[in-house]
């Protein structure tokens, strides 16, 4: 089988590897069909220092696949079925896993495609418990964006920020993979969306996507817009993943008792927080990372109802590195998906 392996920083090679053995009890063998790219892939590719990994490493952290064979004792799946594999190598037995809070597993062994071999290979064996069936009618390229992109946003907006219909939400980097997903999910329940973008081309695309108030953060202050469009009250929810560059403005954008949820810090990991504002205005700040298996199912259900990811580009596996370079350059609106 083919596998796309990272040999050294920025050195990806299509390699021939032996097929995996038949699936063990409790496992399914899957044939990977498509992979969505995320910033975690860019970090791994350009070699930011992370302790727990060794090269060569098969890349690919978010995927959709088809069941090829089932090991003993696997129920509820059949060969030919399309599934979304969970990328976290969770234990399945700790309290968090048993209670369905998979992304809080106490014994997680890493993330596939980052700490351990990922999905950019023809065949692989997975614990069947980590496979989520794809509903009929959902396109492969869309389903490829369920495990990280849609799952993360579903977890952030609904489990963590408890976004309600009709609320106002500020979405940073509305043209990014998760930003565009957040816009679509928030608009789908009738929220008012303020979205930030970095240039006029993305501003036009954000408007077309349904963002009610588009802010070019290079020419306008988003916190002023947030206060203006809410009659000085402030927004109910801020969807953060930019970090240092936007942190203080994000907190200033919130209404009394507003909620900020963050899953990233692409502009820097440290920022000052005005604690007096935090407690007097009774703000709630929640960190969010990944999602649960349930969130993947919810994401796929949304896709089957027509809430689809925004696709920027679909590329063949050989052009994976080109996709990473495009993502790194930020000259992208929505998701880059690679097909096998
Ligand atoms: Zn666990």
């Amino acid at each position: 089988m083919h596998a796309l392996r990272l040999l050294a920083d920025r050195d990806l090679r299509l390699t021939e590897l032996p097929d995996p053995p038949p699936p063990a009890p409790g496992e399914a063998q899957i044939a990977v069909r498509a992979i969505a790219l995320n910033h975690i892939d860019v970090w791994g590719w350009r070699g930011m220092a992370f302790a727990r990994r060794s090269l060569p490493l098969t890349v690919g952290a978010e995927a959709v696949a088809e069941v090829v064979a089932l090991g003993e004792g696997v129920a509820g799946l059949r060969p030919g079925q399309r599934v979304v594999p969970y990328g976290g190598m969770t234990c399945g037995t700790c309290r968090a896993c048993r209670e369905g809070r998979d992304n809080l597993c106490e014994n997680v062994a890493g993330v596939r495609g980052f700490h351990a071999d990922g999905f950019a290979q023809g065949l692989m064996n997975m614990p069947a418990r980590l496979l989520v069936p794809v509903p009929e009618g959902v396109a492969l390229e869309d389903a490829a964006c369920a495990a990280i992109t849609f799952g993360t946003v579903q977890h952030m907006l609904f489990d963590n920020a408890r976004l309600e219909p009709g609320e106002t939400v500020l979405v940073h980097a509305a043209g990014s993979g998760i930003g565009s997903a957040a816009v679509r999910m928030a608009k789908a329940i009738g929220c008012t969306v303020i979205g930030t973008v970095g240039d006029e081309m993305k501003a036009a695309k954000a408007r077309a996507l349904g963002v009610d108030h588009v802010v070019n953060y290079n020419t306008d202050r988003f916190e002023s817009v947030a206060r203006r469009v809410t009659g000085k009250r402030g927004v109910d929810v801020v969807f953060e993943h930019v970090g240092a560059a936007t942190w203080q403005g994000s907190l200033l954008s919130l209404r009394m008792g507003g909620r900020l949820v963050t899953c990233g810090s692409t502009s820097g990991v440290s920022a000052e927080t005005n604690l007096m504002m935090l407690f007097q205005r009774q703000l709630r700040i929640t960190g969010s990372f990944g999602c649960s298996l349930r969130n993947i199912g919810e994401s796929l259900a949304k896709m089957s109802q027509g809430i689809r990811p925004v696709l920027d580009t679909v590329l063949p596996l050989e052009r994976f590195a080109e996709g990473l370079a495009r993502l790194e350059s930020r000259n992208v609106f929505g998701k880059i998906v690679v097909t096998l």
Side-chain angles (χ1 to χ4, degrees):
M1 65 172 183
H2 289 313
L4 188 65
R5 310 208 91 198
L6 185 66
L7 303 187
D9 292 352
R10 293 183 192 265
D11 185 4
L12 274 176
R13 303 264 180 90
L14 205 51
T15 319
E16 278 299 309
L17 290 182
D19 287 353
E27 285 186 341
Q29 187 165 95
I30 58 173
V32 179
R33 294 294 181 230
I35 293 168
L37 304 188
N38 291 283
H39 283 285
I40 192 171
D41 299 300
V42 176
W43 304 335
W45 171 66
R46 71 184 176 197
M48 277 173 70
F50 290 97
R52 287 181 300 143
R53 71 168 195 178
S54 60
L55 302 179
L57 180 92
T58 301
V59 296
E62 182 175 34
V64 61
E66 206 174 280
V67 173
V68 174
L70 297 171
E72 236 176 84
V74 176
L77 292 173
R78 54 177 169 72
Q81 188 169 14
R82 298 177 309 157
V83 289
V84 167
Y86 190 75
M89 298 161 74
T90 58
C91 73
T93 56
C94 73
R95 183 169 175 181
C97 280
R98 281 185 279 116
E99 293 177 350
R101 293 174 292 119
D102 310 274
N103 49 333
L104 284 166
C105 173
E106 295 160 24
N107 311 304
V108 67
V111 174
R112 285 181 206 275
F114 191 69
H115 303 106
D117 283 340
F119 299 111
Q121 56 185 46
L123 294 170
M124 62 194 296
N125 292 341
M126 286 277 299
R129 67 180 171 85
L130 296 180
L131 301 175
V132 182
V134 178
E136 290 299 318
V138 175
L140 275 182
E141 291 83 356
D142 290 355
C145 304
I148 295 181
T149 314
F150 261 47
T152 295
V153 175
Q154 174 72 24
H155 187 51
M156 287 175 76
L157 287 184
F158 300 102
D159 294 346
N160 287 324
R162 311 237 167 220
L163 184 68
E164 296 282 341
E167 288 193 311
T168 300
V169 54
L170 167 62
V171 176
H172 281 298
S176 64
I178 56 168
S180 55
V183 170
R184 285 223 158 133
M185 286 191 198
K187 289 307 298 176
I189 60 162
C191 288
T192 298
V193 177
I194 302 166
T196 68
V197 293
D199 63 55
E200 285 308 310
M201 184 99 81
K202 286 183 184 174
K205 289 183 176 177
R207 272 179 216 108
L209 187 61
V211 175
D212 300 283
H213 306 277
V214 179
V215 186
N216 180 338
Y217 56 74
N218 289 311
T219 57
D220 215 350
R221 289 169 63 89
F222 65 84
E223 55 269 48
S224 310
V225 176
R227 300 206 81 77
R228 190 174 73 234
V229 307
T230 57
K232 294 190 182 165
R233 179 173 164 268
V235 302
D236 300 290
V237 169
V238 175
F239 180 90
E240 248 294 347
H241 53 121
V242 175
T246 50
W247 186 254
Q248 293 186 6
S250 289
L251 291 174
L252 282 168
S253 301
L254 285 170
R255 68 160 164 85
M256 288 275 282
R259 298 95 78 195
L260 180 151
V261 61
T262 180
C263 74
S265 55
T266 44
S267 68
V269 297
S270 294
E272 225 170 83
T273 300
N274 181 326
L275 297 177
M276 193 175 281
M277 183 173 74
L278 177 69
F279 62 75
Q280 281 187 346
R281 294 184 62 75
Q282 300 169 61
L283 307 180
R284 296 181 209 178
I285 300 176
T286 309
S288 197
F289 188 73
C291 70
S292 64
L293 285 161
R294 170 180 52 83
N295 292 138
I296 297 177
E298 291 164 344
S299 298
L300 289 163
K302 286 190 173 178
M303 290 176 188
S304 72
Q305 293 156 13
I307 305 168
R308 300 181 50 211
V310 177
L311 298 183
D312 176 272
T313 326
V314 179
L315 299 170
L317 184 63
E318 303 77 51
R319 292 170 66 188
F320 196 99
E322 188 186 317
L324 291 176
R326 188 172 164 81
L327 191 55
E328 186 182 34
S329 78
R330 304 195 178 276
N331 179 28
V332 52
F333 195 95
K335 295 298 295 179
I336 299 171
V337 172
V338 169
T339 54
L340 271 72

